Amino acid sequence: MKNIKALTSLLVAGSLIISSVGNAFACTSLMVMDKKGNAYHARTMEFSVQIPTSLTYFPAGTKIESATPAGKKGLSFNTQYAILGMSANLIPGAKQVGFVEGANDQGVSVSMNWLNDSTSQAVGTDDTKILAANDLISWMLGNFKSVAEIKAAMTNGSTELWNPISIPFDKSAPMPGHYAINDKTGAALVVEFTNGKANVYDNPVGVMTNGPDFPWHLQNLNNYTFTNVDKNTGQLGKLKLGTQDAGIALTALPSAQTSQGRFVKAAFYANYVGKANSPDEAINTLGHIMNNFDRPVDLTVDGAGGVGDGARSKSISSEVTEWTVMNDPTRNLYYVRSIGALNWSVIDMNQLKDVKTIKSVSTYDVDKAGANAFTLFLK
């Protein structure tokens, strides 16, 4: 891919320098279940330019030091659980990189997706309780082993969340992200910073895309009451009708790659595709599902300016799937595939227990390593 070598040095350095970018994180997150009640999570990450993300490992015991809106030391903690996920320096001056997607070794995964019009909220004077949103995924994955624990911690007042300005995206607006949280039992939450507060919603369909806010998407599903059962025959007047092929049940599924369309399609796939008998079969099924959300270059093209998920480019841009990840939380297996690869690379978190320091590797190096990708973290 063009400019990948130049970007790799940025990936290793962990810096995120983006100017005049096009569309933003137009991502699709979804979860499927197998017949034994185990959950599997996946998400794509779309952007209109190649952005420098890294695959990063935080061992248990990693110190996280967040910041207050005034730039003072906020909530600090040492992670109880190991974390593996995609990271970037979203907030200049942050003590550690922020995850945009990740999983811990207890079966919890979190995906940050773009949400326009995200807001921040007021916090109190106890700096030790204040957590910046760029450290939210580290806090969730580092401290909790279920969605129930995260929901309780988000709503009991022990932590105060605020949403900092994300200079690489918009120098005047809070970081435009909302969060899909899943665990290995299939429990799911969505957290959004809207209307000046952190909103916590149960997720009954196991999917999330981008804007509008999550309650809007659930309401919109009322416009799609059909099922996956084909109706192959009919009659108009005296003319009898019959389809020439299977699949007519999908006629009303949105074909557009908008957030609204992808949410409906993801909900359909996540809830109607047959449940697998084994973990390997489930991951294989999930991979095939995610292929339906993979966007190659110039599938859609946006002109200069306009509106959309974030600031538009000053030139023509095309939103593409930079990478896709899948997570098997029961076996602690993390699958990665970037735009430069067809095959999946897999990292077994169980084999990283002897890694005692933070380690980041280029997303594109993971592609090259294939089944031996976990060894990149042992060097």
Side-chain angles (χ1 to χ4, degrees), residues 15-236:
S15 48
L16 180 60
I17 304 172
I18 302 175
S19 61
S20 300
V21 297
N23 304 347
F25 294 113
C27 313
T28 301
S29 167
L30 62 84
M31 178 178 62
V32 299
M33 306 293 294
D34 67 17
K35 290 183 178 179
K36 295 181 179 178
N38 299 314
Y40 306 82
H41 170 241
R43 65 83 58 93
T44 64
M45 199 288 289
E46 279 76 43
F47 215 76
S48 53
V49 295
Q50 288 179 330
I51 63 171
T53 53
S54 297
L55 184 60
T56 295
Y57 180 73
F58 280 11
T62 297
K63 183 172 183 176
I64 305 297
E65 185 178 312
S66 202
T68 71
K72 297 180 180 179
K73 181 179 178 180
L75 178 68
S76 296
F77 59 92
N78 291 328
T79 61
Q80 299 180 53
Y81 310 117
I83 305 169
L84 179 68
M86 294 296 191
S87 68
N89 280 342
L90 298 174
I91 307 298
K95 292 289 185 178
Q96 54 277 320
V97 296
F99 287 100
V100 297
E101 153 70 35
N104 67 17
D105 57 4
Q106 301 298 306
V108 180
S109 63
V110 183
S111 172
M112 171 189 163
N113 293 15
W114 189 280
L115 178 63
N116 273 333
D117 302 320
S118 294
T119 61
S120 194
Q121 60 180 348
V123 293
T125 57
D126 186 353
D127 291 350
T128 63
K129 296 172 61 176
I130 297 175
L131 178 71
N134 52 294
D135 298 315
L136 180 59
I137 293 182
S138 298
W139 176 73
M140 290 178 176
L141 296 178
N143 290 300
F144 306 107
K145 55 184 179 182
S146 71
V147 161
E149 288 185 0
I150 292 174
K151 184 177 182 180
M154 289 287 299
T155 56
N156 65 12
S158 61
T159 303
E160 296 183 17
L161 297 163
W162 71 285
N163 204 9
I165 302 297
S166 181
I167 291 177
F169 299 123
D170 188 335
K171 296 181 180 180
S172 62
M175 190 167 67
H178 58 169
Y179 303 81
I181 303 110
N182 308 279
D183 67 25
K184 59 186 176 184
T185 71
L189 285 179
V190 169
V191 173
E192 295 181 336
F193 292 90
T194 55
N195 300 315
K197 61 180 181 178
N199 300 279
V200 181
Y201 305 107
D202 291 318
N203 187 345
V205 292
V207 307
M208 190 178 79
T209 54
N210 308 103
D213 58 18
F214 186 67
W216 184 97
H217 284 293
L218 294 185
Q219 182 67 26
N220 185 51
L221 288 179
N222 288 299
N223 294 312
Y224 300 90
T225 56
F226 58 91
T227 71
N228 63 335
V229 178
D230 289 327
K231 188 177 184 303
N232 296 316
T233 59
Q235 187 165 333
L236 288 174

Side-chain angles (χ1 to χ4, degrees), residues 231-252:
K231 188 177 184 303
N232 296 316
T233 59
Q235 187 165 333
L236 288 174
K238 296 181 180 180
L239 178 64
K240 292 184 177 181
L241 308 174
T243 65
Q244 296 296 310
D245 201 353
I248 199 169
L250 304 182
T251 299

